[in-house]
Amino acid sequence: MTDAAAPDASPPARAAAAPGRWKRWLLIAIPYCWLLALFLAPFFIVLKISVSDTVIAQPPYEPVLDLSQGWQGIKDWWSALDLENYSALFDDELYLASYLSSLKIATISTLLTLAIAYPMAYGMARAPKSIRPTLLMAVILPFWTSLLIRVYAWIGILNPDGLLNAFLLWARVINEPLYIMNTETAVYIGIVYSYLPFMVLPLYASLEKLDETLLEAAADLGCPPWKAFWKITVPLSLPGVIAGCFLVFIPAVGEFVIPDLLGGSETLMIGKTLYNEFFLNRDWPVSSAIAVLLLLVLVVPIAIYNNIQAREIGDKA
Amino acid sequence: MRKGLSGVNIVALTFGFAFLYLPILLLVIYSFNASQLVTVWGGFSTRWYVSLFHNEQLLEAAWVTIRVGLLSATVATVLGTLAAITLVRMGRFPGRTLFSGMVYAPLVMPEVITGLSMLLLFVAIGLDRGFITLALAHITFSMCFVAVVVQSRLISFDRSLEEAALDLGCTPFKTFFVITLPIILPAIVSGWMLAFTLSIDDLVISQFTTGPGATTLPMRIYSSVRLGVKPEINAVCTILIAIVTTGVIIASIATKRAENERMKAERAAAAGR
């Protein structure tokens, strides 16, 4: 009798603390399955279509996996796959040039963003505590405004008959209008402008928690301020620098709106090439192959970034 | 960092914030320009705002955008909160690394890739493109942003409150709704707002995943922007900026107030002890 009652004798709180096993699994399963189905599975479909052939049909690719044919259907499907689209990517200079130009533009704009964001974040971290939340808010606010709107705002400024030229001509700084619009310079301005908050926020987070007694100690020991900055502040803010650079670089490589609206036809970027291949040429297999290669280029930075994120959670939890 | 602001810091801050705000400010100012020309100031006028309300296409697109935004933000908030709880509270389980990867990757994934892959999924399973596919795509990328926002709140909160409730015999289910949910509610609300904003702002993913009859406002704006700067577009953008800015400022004041109340209550509780 007592034996049979034993399992129920555990304190009720303990039993309640561990929710039913199936409930726990259900809780995990809902977001897990959603992301598996709508985020991960689509990549395999992209991979599959990137090795299919282009046809003029709906959908515009072949072969389509036909499971009603049974094993024969799978075999036909498998044997018709090839790497033709990938070799096309390497044969045509347009694609390779787009890749390289994307990487170049993303790298340079990440560095430019860092150069503008670091003094800003540093100033914010040194500002009186009372106004810091307001400054932080002021950095975050533009991020809530649509990227499209922010890029559009620059068209009116950079156009040959835009506000910048009107101002500079009026101030007699220049005699001829500057042609910035539809050049790579305009793309740099657009990327730096759009991604600045992503760089400032992690930088500010790491600069704000910097222990000021370290700088005082350095000063007491006769270290000049610039040296203290270089030896103490910069290394301690490095996690913020790294996080910020990833947050700018990765999306910038595949950026579409900025090069499309500001870069004109002469600026090549892979996101734009993919978009045009898909919407203008309706070549789904080739655009899938571009997406796969773009992902391969980005998989290392994304993995590092994910690792940093996950570790940060691990430290705090 | 105690020395306060030096001259260099003030210059850096002024330059930085001018760079961030001047373009938006100019756009807003020129939306009230009476002249059709972008650079010529023809006096103050609200004519472009008036003409907006006669533009059926834009109004229709705005309505689609709002509906997709409300639906996707709400579903994304539920899924994102579940994902955050899974990441912070469920400890180790098989496939945890994959899960956290799937939550963080969409935050930096180039939009063209997300858009293309989702479109190909919808085509592969034979789902007709339109409102539903648009909402599914928006839910998927915005739930990850919600998860990150809620997760940071879950990490920073005091678990002893939950443990106390459980020790007093409260069921886990009830503990969640009585203790956990009120504490993380500000994060959930800002998560919802973020998801809603991301949805109404999105262009690229929408272009890929939409279909006939489901054209959103950013898509309409994009197609007119390609044809050049127009005062009417300035007016639409100004309205969108005004809505988002007001929402964000109200939300941040509300969060701040809730935080202060909570601190006060905690201090009172500590003093009572």
Side-chain angles (χ1 to χ4, degrees):
Chain A
M1 198 59 201
T2 41
D3 275 1
D8 297 327
S10 60
R14 193 52 46 226
R21 199 157 255 280
W22 66 270
K23 276 189 200 154
R24 177 173 180 260
W25 283 115
L26 186 69
L27 185 64
I28 297 176
I30 295 168
Y32 208 118
C33 292
W34 184 285
L35 287 173
L36 275 182
L38 281 128
F39 183 71
L40 198 62
F43 287 119
F44 289 100
I45 298 174
V46 173
L47 197 62
K48 186 209 115 185
I49 291 175
S50 73
V51 288
S52 306
D53 289 327
T54 311
V55 290
I56 299 170
Q58 191 60 272
Y61 57 85
E62 213 179 33
V64 181
L65 180 56
D66 186 5
L67 282 178
S68 61
Q69 297 283 317
W71 183 237
Q72 191 56 41
I74 297 175
K75 263 210 282 201
D76 290 348
W77 172 73
W78 180 252
S79 59
L81 299 178
D82 55 47
L83 293 174
E84 216 171 83
N85 298 308
Y86 289 92
S87 61
L89 290 191
F90 289 104
D91 289 343
D92 193 331
E93 265 175 35
L94 169 77
Y95 301 111
L96 201 59
S98 303
Y99 271 110
L100 296 177
S101 149
S102 292
L103 291 175
K104 183 193 88 182
I105 291 176
T107 309
I108 295 176
S109 20
T110 305
L111 295 176
L112 287 174
T113 315
L114 181 63
I116 296 178
Y118 203 98
M120 260 182 98
Y122 190 77
M124 283 168 64
R126 284 181 61 147
K129 252 206 163 98
S130 55
I131 64 163
R132 275 187 219 165
T134 315
L135 292 175
L136 199 59
M137 186 73 207
V139 171
I140 298 170
L141 202 54
F143 162 74
W144 290 75
T145 312
S146 164
L147 176 78
L148 177 64
I149 294 180
R150 284 179 288 155
V151 174
Y152 169 71
W154 278 100
I155 300 180
I157 296 172
L158 297 178
N159 259 341
D161 57 352
L163 295 166
L164 180 70
N165 274 322
F167 174 76
L168 290 177
L169 287 170
W170 171 81
R172 314 229 165 190
V173 178
I174 51 172
N175 295 321
E176 293 272 304
L178 295 173
Y179 287 94
I180 302 176
M181 192 62 193
N182 295 337
T183 65
E184 274 186 16
T185 314
V187 177
Y188 289 129
I189 294 174
I191 294 180
V192 172
Y193 178 72
S194 307
Y195 288 100
L196 191 61
F198 289 104
M199 187 68 95
V200 174
L201 293 178
L203 282 177
Y204 171 74
S206 63
L207 283 170
E208 199 216 5
K209 62 182 181 212
L210 191 90
D211 186 357
E212 68 199 37
T213 54
L214 292 173
L215 293 172
E216 280 168 22
D220 287 346
L221 294 171
C223 183
W226 63 267
K227 200 170 171 190
F229 174 78
W230 197 244
K231 293 255 173 193
I232 297 170
T233 311
V234 171
L236 286 177
S237 64
L238 217 54
V241 173
I242 293 169
C245 287
F246 279 120
L247 277 176
V248 175
F249 179 79
I250 302 170
V253 172
E255 184 55 53
F256 162 72
V257 176
I258 299 171
D260 186 60
L261 291 180
L262 299 177
S265 55
E266 65 173 88
T267 309
L268 288 175
M269 278 191 86
I270 197 69
K272 203 173 107 183
T273 310
L274 191 160
Y275 187 96
N276 290 341
E277 204 64 58
F278 186 87
F279 283 103
L280 301 181
N281 297 347
R282 303 220 163 264
D283 195 334
W284 292 20
V286 165
S287 34
S288 300
I290 297 176
V292 171
L293 282 189
L294 177 54
L295 209 56
L296 282 181
V297 174
L298 291 180
V299 80
V300 173
I302 291 178
I304 297 173
Y305 163 78
N306 276 349
N307 222 336
I308 296 172
Q309 284 284 321
R311 212 183 308 149
E312 213 153 86
I313 307 303
D315 287 351
K316 286 185 201 152
Chain B
M1 300 261 156
R2 198 174 45 181
K3 277 179 276 175
L5 290 169
S6 69
V8 181
N9 295 147
I10 292 174
V11 171
L13 285 177
T14 316
F15 172 75
F17 282 110
F19 179 59
L20 275 180
Y21 282 94
L22 215 54
I24 297 178
L25 206 64
L26 288 170
L27 181 138
V28 171
I29 293 171
Y30 275 84
S31 75
F32 293 105
N33 187 2
S35 160
Q36 174 92 48
L37 293 167
V38 193
T39 43
V40 182
W41 181 255
F44 180 88
S45 155
T46 50
R47 62 185 272 215
W48 306 114
Y49 290 87
V50 176
S51 77
L52 273 189
F53 289 97
H54 300 291
N55 190 331
E56 293 275 321
Q57 277 192 327
L58 273 183
L59 292 180
E60 160 108 38
W63 179 228
V64 171
T65 312
I66 291 170
R67 281 189 303 155
V68 173
L70 290 176
L71 175 66
S72 66
T74 308
V75 181
T77 304
V78 175
L79 287 172
T81 307
L82 289 179
I85 293 171
T86 301
L87 280 174
V88 180
R89 289 300 169 77
M90 290 297 145
R92 290 176 187 287
F93 57 88
R96 191 182 188 284
T97 317
L98 176 67
F99 183 70
S100 73
M102 289 194 299
V103 171
Y104 301 130
L107 307 183
V108 287
M109 187 64 69
E111 287 180 304
V112 281
I113 296 184
T114 314
L116 175 72
S117 65
M118 283 202 199
L119 165 80
L120 294 180
L121 171 79
F122 296 142
V123 172
I125 60 175
L127 198 58
D128 279 338
R129 280 182 276 157
F131 185 82
I132 294 295
T133 51
L134 201 56
L136 284 174
H138 283 198
I139 291 166
T140 307
F141 73 79
S142 51
M143 72 174 270
C144 301
F145 285 84
V146 177
V148 171
V149 173
V150 174
Q151 166 196 287
S152 61
R153 186 79 192 99
L154 272 174
I155 289 171
S156 66
F157 106 49
D158 188 359
R159 284 202 77 167
S160 59
L161 290 172
E162 281 180 341
E163 278 159 17
L166 290 170
D167 282 345
L168 292 172
C170 197
T171 62
F173 192 70
K174 200 174 168 195
T175 305
F176 177 78
F177 282 99
V178 177
I179 310 282
T180 317
L181 198 61
I183 295 179
I184 61 172
L185 197 61
I188 293 180
V189 172
S190 44
W192 187 91
M193 286 191 47
L194 184 58
F196 182 72
T197 319
L198 287 168
S199 168
I200 62 170
D201 286 351
D202 178 71
L203 168 72
V204 177
I205 294 172
S206 304
Q207 293 271 48
F208 277 100
T209 52
T210 195
T215 306
T216 63
L217 203 50
M219 291 159 69
R220 280 262 175 264
I221 295 176
Y222 175 73
S223 52
S224 3
V225 165
R226 298 216 63 175
L227 303 172
V229 174
K230 277 190 225 131
E232 210 175 36
I233 297 298
N234 281 22
V236 187
C237 293
T238 304
I239 292 174
L240 282 175
I241 293 169
I243 293 171
V244 169
T245 309
T246 327
V248 172
I249 289 175
I250 289 174
S252 78
I253 291 172
T255 318
K256 186 103 210 211
R257 212 168 270 172
E259 195 101 312
N260 286 345
E261 295 272 304
R262 196 172 58 83
M263 297 246 277
K264 228 187 276 168
E266 269 171 19
R267 263 201 299 274
R273 207 189 304 166

